[in-house]
Amino acid sequence: MTVVIIVIVAIVVILAIALMVSYNRFVKQRNLIQESWRQIDVELHRRYDLIPNLVETVRAFAAHERHVFEEVARLRTQAVNVQGASPEQRAAAEGELSGALRQMMISVEAYPQIQSNQNFLNLQRELTDTEDRIAAGRRFYNANVGDYNTRIEAFPSNLIAGSFKFEKAGYFEVKDEAVRSVPQVSFGTIGSVPGEQTPPQMQPGAQSSGQIQPQLPGNDQGGYQQQAGGYPQGQQLPPSGQSPYQGQPPVGGPPAGAPGPQDGQPPFTGGQ
């Protein structure tokens, strides 16, 4: 009887320890999520402070882009007003603000004097660094949320999560179409690059020998056009028994009027 009581007490102690360990792990993960969210919130506030200065700097050079500046100011105010909302609502507001900022930067590209302004360059650099820190914090936050939500749904930790009211956390995902879009890659075609020659086009019915024939002088329009018989256009066939090249030395052949090779002698090849 004593052994049974000892076993029961040991089982209860083990279950109690497992319960405390699991509960403490839930608390630790929840606090880690909250801490990582505070880091994101700090960077978001830094961006809210940089945007007005950046807008005022750009406005001094491009005053007629008023509708772009007004949209950025409106979305910044909207993002500031939803600070106490859920991460999903904050992510939606931040996504719209990021799109407006990108549109403003596209408009700035038409003004070279802005690109050379040192104040604008410094603000743009600080805003870029802030965006990078926000992206890094978002990845860290979402990774912690993923682990936490997995434990809430998995067995047996889901029993503890349900008993102590641990609820799933929301992800912070900015739905940026420019980031999610698939880049368009075009390798082009031969001849599309300036200075690159296109391959010669074969005429219908022509047979290719597998080699590219260079263009010889005189083969353009106005030159000799070869006929099916192999004689230049307009030239009459010579009389029977007479050479078509009589009086003209063929290329690489013997001079005109030179005697033909005798039997047993090699033909003239143009060498000395």
Side-chain angles (χ1 to χ4, degrees):
M1 186 65 181
T2 305
V3 177
V4 176
I5 296 176
I6 294 176
V7 172
I8 295 176
V9 171
I11 294 175
V12 171
V13 171
I14 293 174
L15 292 178
I17 294 175
L19 175 64
M20 289 187 296
V21 170
S22 182
Y23 177 85
N24 292 336
R25 185 177 177 186
F26 271 118
V27 173
K28 182 179 179 179
Q29 287 181 309
R30 185 177 60 185
N31 293 338
L32 183 60
I33 291 174
Q34 294 175 354
E35 180 61 27
S36 58
W37 175 254
R38 293 190 189 98
Q39 296 297 325
I40 296 177
D41 192 61
V42 169
E43 299 300 333
L44 291 177
H45 277 84
R46 177 176 175 80
R47 184 167 75 159
Y48 298 153
D49 296 336
L50 289 173
I51 289 176
N53 297 331
L54 184 65
V55 170
E56 291 301 324
T57 303
V58 176
R59 192 196 302 270
F61 296 91
H64 61 280
E65 300 285 352
R66 186 177 60 183
H67 64 285
V68 178
F69 305 141
E70 291 178 351
E71 183 67 11
V72 172
R74 184 185 68 84
L75 293 175
R76 175 190 175 275
T77 303
Q78 175 181 327
V80 172
N81 292 334
V82 297
Q83 291 185 19
S86 63
E88 292 87 350
Q89 295 174 341
R90 293 287 300 273
E94 293 299 329
E96 295 179 0
L97 180 58
S98 298
L101 284 173
R102 186 179 301 105
Q103 183 63 34
M104 186 181 70
M105 291 302 179
I106 294 176
S107 302
V108 164
E109 294 178 356
Y111 302 92
Q113 64 273 23
I114 303 179
Q115 300 289 341
S116 60
N117 183 269
Q118 190 63 35
N119 188 29
F120 170 79
L121 295 178
N122 292 335
L123 290 173
Q124 186 183 33
R125 188 180 305 108
E126 292 182 13
L127 184 61
T128 302
D129 294 340
T130 303
E131 296 285 352
D132 293 339
R133 288 192 291 269
I134 292 175
R138 184 171 63 245
R139 290 191 296 268
F140 181 68
Y141 171 82
N142 289 335
N144 293 326
V145 170
D147 295 339
Y148 177 76
N149 291 343
T150 300
R151 291 198 62 233
I152 289 179
E153 296 178 351
F155 180 84
S157 58
N158 60 341
L159 301 177
I160 301 174
S163 301
F164 294 96
K165 307 300 181 183
F166 287 101
E167 297 180 355
K168 297 177 64 175
Y171 289 94
F172 183 68
E173 295 179 342
V174 178
K175 296 179 174 57
D176 193 346
E177 299 297 334
V179 176
R180 296 177 181 270
S181 60
V182 179
Q184 301 295 329
V185 180
S186 176
F187 294 98
T189 56
I190 298 178
S192 60
V193 179
E196 184 179 4
Q197 298 182 357
T198 58
Q201 302 293 331
M202 296 182 59
Q203 299 296 331
Q207 296 182 356
S208 174
S209 62
Q211 298 179 352
I212 299 178
Q213 301 294 335
Q215 185 177 5
L216 298 178
N219 285 346
D220 55 351
Q221 294 183 359
Y224 289 105
Q225 302 293 333
Q226 297 295 331
Q227 296 180 348
Y231 295 97
Q233 184 177 3
Q235 179 177 346
Q236 298 180 356
L237 297 176
S240 177
Q242 184 177 355
S243 172
Y245 301 103
Q246 186 174 2
Q248 298 180 358
V251 178
Q262 302 295 328
D263 295 340
Q265 295 181 356
F268 181 78
T269 60
Q272 298 296 331

